[in-house]
Amino acid sequence: MIDTLLSALAALMTFQHLAYMLLGVSVGLVIGVIPGLGGIAGLSLLVPFLYGMDPISALGMLIGLVAVIPTSDTFASVLMGIPGSSASQATVLDGFPLAKQGQAARALSAAFISSLFGGIVGAVILTGFVLIARPLILMFGSAELFMLALFGLSMVAVLAGRSLPKGLAAAAIGLLIGSIGAAPATGEFRMIFGTEYLYDGIPLVIIGLGLFAIPEISDLLRKNSSIAEGNALGSGWLLGLRDWWANLFLSIRCSGFGCLIGAIPGLGGSVVDWIAYGHAVQTTKDNPHFGKGDIRGVIAPESANNAMQGGALLPTMLFGIPGSGSMAVFLGGMVLIGIEPGPSMVGADLNITYSIIWSLALANIMGAGICMMLAQPISNLTRIPFHYLAPCMIALICFAAFQATRDLSDLVALMGIGLVGILMKRFGWPRPALLIGFVLAPQAETFFYQALQFNGWGFLIRPGVLIIGAMTLLSVYFGLKNRIDDVGAEGEVVVTSHSSRNIQIVFALAAMVFFGMALWDAAGQSTLGGVFPLGVGVVGAVFGAILLVHLWRGHSDHPAFYDYEIVGDHVGNEGNGWFWTGPAWIGGLVVATALVGFYIAMIGFFIAFLRVRAKASWLRTIVITASAAAFILGLAYMLSLNFPSGWLQDAYDLPWPIR
């Protein structure tokens, strides 16, 4: 055993291995900083270069990229309020408010040290756990995985805000959107309404960017200012480190959660940050300000998402079952260089296993150090007047969105979900609750059917199910007790006009119409195909009806009432723009893309935005537009990505790269 550990360490410390690992870390930093790309895009970029490489060096390069993305994606989440990847969505809730308060340095330093610690904890746990992991992982059957999905849904109680019916209705909407497409049990297509694009459902990246990025960009466009005033970073680097040390046990617990959840195939990074965030809320007693800039809301998810990468390696290496989307690409890379995942990874190839684990720890150290060094220049983006930064962010978000299916419909879906996100933010509907429901819908439904098929209703009395069920009930109890009040203080009067009340009622009625459509569609499915959306639709309709009663008959200080246009931090400030400014510009880009294709539309969008909205000179407009066009074109070339074409391009059959 000692010989194996020393052999792995010797392979790790060679110059060649370290150089390739640094290369992977560097690529991961770039991919992570660009919102919406994430590990799948980055690993896909590196895989073609693996042919003929030394296996240990190739794995070091891949691990370097995998390890650093959950660290570098923090920049977008904290500085711009845009989820850098699916694993950093919860960080936005408190990281971005801290940045707007001039405490970006504090948030970033706490995030980086938490990411570093989480990655190292994940590697340490794996070092001792790898030999006993196989029987433990095999203990989780479909019944236990279904209960874990319910445990993830219990976080909705934490994220429901002042109005629990809003939170539960939002979660039901997310579950229904997540069930669009083929039913796991029967293959029947649900809620596609004759639209070919919906056959495979709506991609996660579009839901995440639409719910969080579009509303924040729209809000910033109205304010005609930079993201942060004065010194963008502030002077809280040491304060962030002290914050992490003061919450060390929270970081340890969340790292453990991350490692455990990462080891369970099918959950992965899309939910681990929310579970860690919910745990932080549930266990915090002293002066919580979650949703408004609580540093613990940064430490918890950042500790968990880096540790999750270590956990996800376990099923990938031992069973050949990807623990996450990025691990699926990593698995393909292993096969390309001649390494077969399976029991041999804890037998004859144990030295390779430990080289991978320790590469993960070293890559986390590299990534956190480089992010610290790059924080100042990257943070300067927040001091640029937002009307210069906005077209770049909008173009990057659209670029990330259409990677999902590489079709114009991706941008249309992004615009539609973005409008929903804007209205949810305005009326105080918890967007994280919808996102959690969406992420967990496929797993919850699939594991439920499998548990019934294999065990019948007897799965409910399995020991693992009972234990996880008890944990879920405790989570709901503490969630209801410590809900995040992110929409104003209790008793605050937020409705001052009948028009505001009426428009909130209209939005709630729109949600009821969606539930009705889901119920109508489910009624036309078979029993197995329709039972899940039918049950969710009924629950959503019940809580939607309760919300309507509150909005119709409640007093103006009822917790169900909220209108950002009345109590938002922009109210009373001079120079606020039109509410629909952001959606109008983004919608214009989508319409132009449908007509002339994305690349030409993007260039025209930059010129129009900079000249009309930013009132930039022609020289500045040309320089910014040319730089952005070259960057997007280079990125598309590296990813072998054709841009969505427009009607005129299809009519005249124009070649790439104009496509």
Side-chain angles (χ1 to χ4, degrees), residues 224-284:
N224 295 310
S225 62
S226 58
I227 294 174
E229 301 295 337
N231 184 352
L233 274 180
S235 56
W237 286 106
L238 292 178
L239 179 58
L241 297 177
R242 288 198 295 269
D243 287 328
W244 171 78
W245 181 254
N247 294 280
L248 176 61
F249 291 109
L250 173 65
S251 186
I252 292 173
R253 294 195 303 272
C254 291
S255 298
F257 287 147
C259 201
L260 174 63
I261 293 169
I264 300 170
L267 292 182
S270 301
V271 68
V272 66
D273 56 331
W274 293 115
I275 291 179
Y277 188 88
H279 173 72
V281 176
Q282 292 168 339
T283 56
T284 296

Side-chain angles (χ1 to χ4, degrees), residues 630-645:
F631 176 76
I632 292 292
L633 188 62
L635 198 59
Y637 177 78
M638 289 190 292
L639 294 172
S640 300
L641 176 66
N642 283 355
F643 299 115
S645 59

Side-chain angles (χ1 to χ4, degrees), residues 65-355:
L65 185 142
V66 167
V68 78
I69 284 180
T71 304
S72 59
D73 63 10
T74 307
F75 283 116
S77 299
V78 170
L79 298 178
M80 301 176 187
I82 300 172
S85 69
S86 62
S88 66
Q89 290 161 343
T91 307
V92 173
L93 297 187
D94 287 287
F96 190 51
L98 283 167
K100 291 195 289 187
Q101 295 165 18
Q103 300 185 65
R106 179 189 180 193
L108 288 174
S109 63
F112 294 152
I113 190 64
S114 299
S115 295
L116 170 61
F117 182 76
I120 293 176
V121 166
V124 170
I125 291 175
L126 281 177
T127 299
F129 194 60
V130 69
L131 295 177
I132 62 172
R134 183 181 175 88
L136 289 177
I137 292 177
L138 289 175
M139 288 173 60
F140 282 88
S142 300
E144 288 77 16
L145 293 173
F146 168 68
M147 291 304 297
L148 281 173
L150 290 186
F151 178 72
L153 281 171
S154 70
M155 295 300 111
V156 170
V158 176
L159 301 165
R162 300 174 67 215
S163 174
L164 186 61
K166 279 185 180 179
L168 295 174
I173 292 172
L175 286 165
L176 290 173
I177 295 175
S179 65
I180 291 174
T186 63
E188 297 169 89
F189 290 107
R190 303 174 303 194
M191 291 188 288
I192 58 173
F193 305 112
T195 305
E196 183 179 346
Y197 175 75
L198 296 178
Y199 282 177
D200 293 324
I202 301 176
L204 172 61
V205 65
I206 290 175
I207 298 294
L209 292 174
L211 287 179
F212 291 96
I214 299 296
E216 296 303 336
I217 288 176
S218 299
D219 191 37
L220 288 167
L221 270 176
R222 300 178 63 198
K223 296 178 180 178
N224 295 310
S225 62
S226 58
I227 294 174
E229 301 295 337
N231 184 352
L233 274 180
S235 56
W237 286 106
L238 292 178
L239 179 58
L241 297 177
R242 288 198 295 269
D243 287 328
W244 171 78
W245 181 254
N247 294 280
L248 176 61
F249 291 109
L250 173 65
S251 186
I252 292 173
R253 294 195 303 272
C254 291
S255 298
F257 287 147
C259 201
L260 174 63
I261 293 169
I264 300 170
L267 292 182
S270 301
V271 68
V272 66
D273 56 331
W274 293 115
I275 291 179
Y277 188 88
H279 173 72
V281 176
Q282 292 168 339
T283 56
T284 296
K285 298 287 189 285
D286 58 314
N287 194 28
H289 292 91
F290 289 99
K292 303 184 180 73
D294 194 306
I295 197 65
R296 290 164 292 198
V298 174
I299 292 171
E302 289 300 315
S303 298
N305 60 28
N306 274 63
M308 186 276 300
Q309 300 297 338
L313 283 170
L314 273 177
T316 305
M317 293 189 298
L318 300 188
F319 306 115
I321 301 173
S324 65
S326 59
M327 284 296 112
V329 185
F330 181 82
L331 181 63
M334 289 179 65
V335 174
L336 277 179
I337 57 180
I339 297 177
E340 289 293 333
S344 64
M345 297 299 290
V346 291
D349 295 329
L350 184 60
N351 62 317
I352 296 178
T353 300
Y354 279 122
S355 294

